[in-house]
Structure formats: C-alpha cells, structure tokens
Amino acid sequence: MRSAKQRLSLLWSSHPWVVLIVTMACFLVAVTVLGTWSRGDYLRRYPTHDYRLAAFSPPLNNILYYDSEHYYNIATSGYDASTPTSPARARIAFFPFYPMITHGLSVISGIPIDWSLLIIDWMSALTLVVVLYYWAIAELRHARIRDSAAPKFMLMGLVLFPTSFFLATGYTESLFMLLIAGSLLSYRQHRYALAGLLAALATATRVQGICLVIFFFLELISVRRRRIVLRQPIEYRKLIPLIMAPLGMLAFMVFQFITRGDALAFIHAQTIWGKFSSNYISNMFLHSDIRDVWYLAVYSFLCIATYKTLGWRWLLYCLAPFVLTLSAGSMMSINRYILSIFPLFLGLALFRHRISRPLLVGIGASSFLLLVTNIVFFYIGAWVG
C-alpha cells in the first residue's frame, strides 16, 4: 500500500503537468479567496470607501481592478481618440492582443467580457506553469546543466514572488508570460516559425515583449561565431523568430498611424500616466515606496545569480525589460514587471546551492509576507504594482 507521498511522487514522475496545473489552480483560488475576503472585511469597516468605477458584474466587481478596467473597456468599445487628455485616449498605451482575444472569446461563446478577461487569465496561468517547466528542462539541456530539481524550485520562487498574484487578476501577466515561455521553448525545440509567431503575439501584448529580439539576436551571433570556428554551415532558420518578433508591435503601430496619424501614440500616451515627464529624477521616485528597496535588492541579486549560472546572454535579456521600463522615467509597476522576467527565477534555482540557508529562507519568508500583504492591499483598492 503506497503512502500519499509515494503516490504523489509517482504522479509527478509520470505526469508532472497534472501536479503543476492542480497546484496553480489551488494558488489562483487561494489568491481570489484571500482577496475577496480582505475586500469584504474592508468594506464592512469603511462602507463609504467603495470608489470602484468599473461596471463589472458580481462577484467580479470585487476581483478585477485598475488595468483590468482598461482592458475591459478596450475589449468592449475599442480605442477612443476623442480628446487628447481623456482616459479613453490614454488607453492606447495598453497593447491590443489581450483585449482582442477577450472580445473574440466573448463573441464566440457568449460569455460576458469581464468573465472572458478572467477566463483567459486563468487558462493562461494554468498553461504557463506547464510550459515554463518544460522550457526550464529544455534550457538546462541546452546549457548542459544537470539539475533536475531546478525547474521545480524555479516555479516555487515564481509563485512566492510578491507580485505573482497578478496571474489571477485580469492583467496581462499570465498571457504575456505564456507567450514568452512558449516562444523560448519553441526556439529550443528548433520550431522557429512557431517561436516567431508567439514572439509576435507577445510584442502585441506588452511593450516588454520586444526584448525577445535581444535574446534571438544574441543567440544568433553566438551560434554563428561557434559554427564559423567549427567550420559548420550556419542555420539561417534562426533568423525567422528574430524577423517575426517585432511584427506584433509594428502591426499596432500601423493601426495607430491609420486611426490617429501617430504611429507612436502608445508612447506619447504614457505622459498621461505620469511618464516621460520633464523632470525624470523626481518622477522616477514619485510612485516609489520603501518596498521598492526590497524589489531592487532582490532583482540585483537575481541578476547576479542568473549571470553566474546561465551566462551573460541571459543576463542581458533580464536587464533589458528593466532598463526599458526605467527609460520612461518612472518606477511605476517595476515590481510587477520583474515577475515576467522568469529566467531570473531559473537563475536563482540553479544558484541555490551557493546561497546560505538563512539567506535563502529570509528571501522566501519576506517574499511570502509581501505577497500576502500585496494581495490584501490590492483588493482593498491600494496601488501595489
């Protein structure tokens, strides 16, 4: 008679994707329950503080916040360019792929837009953990690193990160990370056309997707140099994802040029959100608080771990989204953007043997504490990322 631990171990060895999906489902439910409870308790204490504006149907009016509201409006009525300072015009800063497929799901199935937002978010999160797991295995095989436990530790670090709850809240995190992970996994499997397609969809989902171009370029020149030294033919199929990756963003720019006469409207709209101001220094810290010290310290540590274990190419890729975000002159949402740089967590998983146990426990415990705090704050209407 096998024990529960033995049965779980057997299930993991034979069907790891089942364990991953069930675990992620439990995480999504736990986040939603904790968030809904904290919001209900908050409104009982402060009944006049319910300042939500979105017309979400119950119970989603207790779950969907901030960016979800903009994606809901884009999926419902598209982009509006009525006046230069209107909130509707500012929505051009939000990329179209997430609201597009939300609208598509709603039209095909008859499911309301708000429920479609959450369904796509949750389905993406459930698929994400499986794709990330197999990407990590493929990446370690490519790098000739033997550490079978690293993919599991990577996912554990990702879920414990203080902004991982955004995987459950109608934001682009789940979908964006799934597209990036799928593109990188396809690339390692030499399915370059699929890698390019997923990369193009990623650049149509969020501006940080363009950083994939850096990864594909660095991989190309590295392989080219190695093959020249070994006198092997160069595999030009690797150019496919490099060429295809920017197409999603370019398509969005063409749409902006046709509808507004401004191909860079998504950048210019950032000024409405407090970015690209004339005073970069003061604006950089306008939305910062003491918690950002933790995020910046941990991010720096993760970059070092990634460089030590995965090399300089992955370090440059992990630095690119961070630098791109700071180039707007604002640290707004930087903690959420760090979450989507998931190679950092693989670097940490591989580096875990070189970290003292107290430090590793301290990072994990503080991360979990911030995660719970962020969930509660987010659901009562505070800005946390």
Side-chain angles (χ1 to χ4, degrees):
M1 189 72 176
R2 292 191 181 98
S3 66
K5 184 177 180 180
Q6 289 173 326
R7 287 197 295 270
L8 182 61
S9 178
L10 179 61
L11 180 63
W12 174 263
S13 60
S14 56
H15 302 291
W17 59 272
V18 175
V19 179
L20 292 170
I21 289 176
V22 171
T23 304
M24 175 53 76
C26 293
F27 172 75
L28 296 174
V29 170
V31 166
T32 305
V33 169
L34 176 59
T36 305
W37 173 84
S38 61
R39 174 156 178 79
D41 182 67
Y42 177 76
L43 290 179
R44 283 191 293 272
R45 293 170 181 267
Y46 308 100
T48 61
H49 288 196
D50 189 11
Y51 50 83
R52 298 301 301 136
L53 302 176
F56 297 127
S57 57
L60 298 188
N61 57 339
N62 291 330
I63 297 173
L64 300 177
Y65 285 85
Y66 296 116
D67 287 11
S68 301
E69 199 173 327
H70 297 292
Y71 289 119
Y72 172 85
N73 287 313
I74 294 170
T76 304
S77 55
Y79 295 98
D80 178 20
S82 55
T83 60
T85 58
S86 69
R89 183 175 180 85
R91 289 189 194 114
I92 197 67
F94 295 86
F95 277 48
F97 186 60
Y98 182 37
M100 278 177 61
I101 59 174
T102 297
H103 179 79
L105 175 62
S106 180
V107 169
I108 293 171
S109 65
I111 299 172
I113 291 289
D114 47 4
W115 281 100
S116 296
L117 279 172
L118 205 58
I119 288 172
I120 290 172
D121 203 41
W122 280 44
M123 291 301 101
S124 297
L126 295 174
T127 311
L128 171 65
V129 288
V130 179
V131 176
L132 271 180
Y133 177 75
Y134 287 106
W135 164 75
I137 291 175
E139 190 60 41
L140 295 181
R141 187 181 298 120
H142 174 79
R144 298 179 181 178
I145 298 174
R146 294 184 178 181
D147 190 339
S148 59
K152 290 182 281 188
F153 279 99
M154 174 197 71
L155 292 173
M156 186 184 304
L158 189 76
V159 169
L160 282 177
F161 195 72
T163 52
S164 62
F165 71 94
F166 280 108
L167 298 173
T169 55
Y171 273 54
T172 57
E173 261 59 33
S174 296
L175 177 62
F176 179 69
M177 292 171 67
L178 174 61
L179 293 170
I180 296 289
S183 179
L184 294 175
L185 176 59
S186 300
Y187 188 86
R188 288 298 180 223
Q189 294 174 339
H190 311 291
R191 301 159 71 182
Y192 300 117
L194 179 58
L197 174 61
L198 295 174
L201 294 178
T203 61
T205 304
R206 236 168 55 190
V207 67
Q208 288 83 4
I210 201 65
C211 296
L212 274 173
V213 172
I214 296 175
F215 169 79
F216 292 139
F217 177 74
L218 293 174
E219 280 288 305
L220 185 67
I221 61 174
S222 174
V223 170
R224 182 177 182 275
R225 187 179 303 154
R226 186 165 61 248
R227 285 181 177 267
I228 289 176
V229 171
L230 297 176
R231 298 179 182 275
Q232 294 177 341
I234 298 172
E235 193 174 5
Y236 287 103
R237 289 192 306 153
K238 291 181 180 289
L239 280 169
I240 296 175
L242 178 62
I243 295 171
M244 291 182 66
L247 294 182
M249 181 180 290
L250 288 174
F252 188 39
M253 292 170 68
V254 169
F255 165 78
Q256 293 169 93
F257 182 77
I258 293 173
T259 58
R260 298 166 182 251
D262 181 7
L264 299 177
F266 72 101
I267 294 178
H268 298 151
Q270 294 291 345
T271 56
I272 304 175
W273 298 104
K275 300 179 181 180
F276 293 108
S277 71
S278 57
N279 193 333
Y280 264 52
I281 301 301
S282 63
N283 194 46
M284 184 74 73
F285 299 99
L286 182 63
H287 299 281
S288 303
D289 58 38
I290 190 63
R291 288 172 295 180
D292 286 335
V293 175
W294 187 94
Y295 292 113
L296 293 175
V298 169
Y299 171 74
S300 301
F301 181 75
L302 293 179
C303 284
I304 294 171
T306 302
Y307 172 70
K308 294 287 187 180
T309 54
L310 296 174
W312 63 273
R313 288 193 298 278
W314 277 113
L315 172 64
L316 290 179
Y317 172 79
C318 293
L319 287 172
F322 188 83
V323 173
L324 180 63
T325 302
L326 293 188
S327 67
S330 173
M331 290 184 62
M332 181 188 296
S333 302
I334 196 70
N335 53 356
R336 179 160 56 88
Y337 297 149
I338 292 173
L339 174 72
S340 63
I341 315 175
F342 52 80
L344 290 170
F345 299 95
L346 180 58
L348 177 63
L350 293 170
F351 199 67
R352 68 188 187 278
H353 300 299
R354 310 185 206 179
I355 306 173
S356 65
R357 191 175 184 83
L359 177 59
L360 197 60
V361 171
I363 293 174
S366 59
S367 183
F368 178 73
L369 181 62
L370 272 175
L371 171 62
V372 175
T373 303
N374 281 346
I375 293 172
V376 173
F377 280 16
F378 177 80
Y379 279 90
I380 66 174
W383 179 261
V384 295

